[in-house]
Amino acid sequence: MVNFIPALSDIQTDYFEGIPILKIKENIRILSEALLLKRQFGLETEWDHPEKNIVGPKEVDIQLDKILLGQNKPTTTKAKVYRPVRNISQDIVPLAHCSNWNNKYDAADAYYPIVAIEFGRGFLVHTGMSLDEEREYKILIDIIRRLCLTGYQNLAGYSIDK
Amino acid sequence: MMTQLAPVSDISNGGFSVVINPFREAYPELGKGEGVGFKTISSYIRDGGIFINSGGQPFAYSWDVNTGNSWLILFRH
């Protein structure tokens, strides 16, 4: 059975006596199992963690993974990450990663803002970035360009090699 | 590499290697929830396409192309 709920309100910034605050009109954490993304594609993303001061997009350092870099050296760039992925499975291919989204600068505690999920013979690419500013749009366009030029073959090869 | 704007109904004709959804957490749909729009997208991916979702959680909201209303899609057991 499917429930349909009108779109929830968004998060807005405001000021109270000169102090910046967040106005959250509604804030409901939804079970991943109730969402299409989990039910159809088996993917879960991270939600807000108010207890860790992670609410909405968070600026972190991200690096593209080898599947997009090819022979090029990895570079680190800043981006506002929103709804990254933590748990990787056999069908999920990381395309970019960050290690400080959870406020821990630990390479073992990696989060993946951009992943490709294998589905049938194709892939769904999840872009866990906030696209409110030009910087993130340029990163996304660069990823799409790399995906079309080299990543496409790598993704196809990934599926065959499994 | 050629790009073009296309309705959801056109993506399953085999002409697109990559499809980009620019609507972040929403996707275009007819009516409410999981309908012909999502079925078209999932068929496109299943048949070998690469579907890139731009930002946030993919398919969290359906966007009715006729009414302009947005719906959060939840399932319950």
Side-chain angles (χ1 to χ4, degrees):
Chain A
M1 185 176 293
V2 179
N3 273 338
F4 302 105
I5 301 174
L8 301 177
S9 299
D10 58 357
I11 299 174
Q12 298 177 355
T13 55
D14 203 350
Y15 287 89
F16 177 70
E17 297 180 347
I19 301 171
I21 60 171
L22 285 176
K23 289 171 65 175
I24 304 172
K25 294 183 180 179
E26 294 188 61
N27 186 8
I28 301 175
R29 184 171 180 141
I30 300 169
L31 286 175
S32 295
E33 286 75 14
L35 296 168
L36 265 179
L37 186 64
K38 172 68 174 178
R39 293 181 70 96
Q40 297 288 342
F41 298 96
L43 182 71
E44 291 183 59
T45 66
E46 290 293 303
W47 292 93
D48 291 344
H49 292 277
E51 72 281 4
K52 299 176 186 176
N53 202 29
I54 301 174
V55 177
K58 183 183 177 190
E59 183 167 283
V60 296
D61 298 321
I62 69 168
Q63 283 189 347
L64 299 185
D65 278 273
K66 192 177 178 184
I67 197 167
L68 292 180
L69 290 174
Q71 300 300 321
N72 298 320
K73 290 182 180 178
T75 55
T76 298
T77 185
K78 290 203 178 292
K80 285 190 177 175
V81 168
Y82 183 62
R83 304 288 185 256
V85 174
R86 185 176 189 188
N87 298 320
I88 297 291
S89 68
Q90 191 181 13
D91 295 330
I92 299 173
V93 183
L95 301 181
H97 61 274
C98 57
S99 57
N100 57 341
W101 183 82
N102 197 25
N103 294 330
K104 296 179 185 176
Y105 288 82
D106 182 358
D109 191 31
Y111 287 80
Y112 307 95
I114 302 153
V115 299
I117 306 102
E118 188 176 3
F119 186 72
R121 295 192 300 153
F123 289 86
L124 165 68
V125 177
H126 162 58
T127 310
M129 289 194 299
S130 169
L131 298 180
D132 290 333
E133 296 179 18
E134 186 180 353
R135 180 183 64 183
E136 281 74 15
Y137 265 111
K138 286 184 175 179
I139 294 171
L140 177 59
I141 289 170
D142 181 49
I143 289 169
I144 293 170
R145 181 183 61 84
R146 291 173 184 272
L147 204 58
C148 292
L149 292 177
T150 57
Y152 190 88
Q153 288 179 328
N154 293 338
L155 281 178
Y158 168 85
S159 181
I160 291 171
D161 289 343
K162 259 192 356 182
Chain B
M1 185 166 59
M2 292 179 57
T3 60
Q4 68 177 82
L5 296 176
V8 171
S9 54
D10 282 357
I11 70 172
S12 56
N13 64 9
F16 300 101
S17 302
V18 178
V19 170
I20 302 167
N21 175 28
F23 305 114
R24 306 193 190 183
E25 297 187 321
Y27 74 96
E29 184 61 90
L30 281 178
K32 299 176 183 176
E34 187 184 354
V36 65
F38 181 78
K39 289 183 173 63
T40 303
I41 293 169
S42 60
S43 293
Y44 165 80
I45 302 172
R46 191 179 290 113
D47 291 342
I50 294 182
F51 187 88
I52 299 174
N53 202 77
S54 62
Q57 175 138 192
F59 310 115
Y61 299 90
S62 66
W63 181 66
D64 190 327
V65 297
N66 290 326
T67 65
N69 290 328
S70 182
W71 302 89
L72 175 65
I73 306 173
L74 294 177
F75 293 86
R76 67 177 182 185
H77 294 285

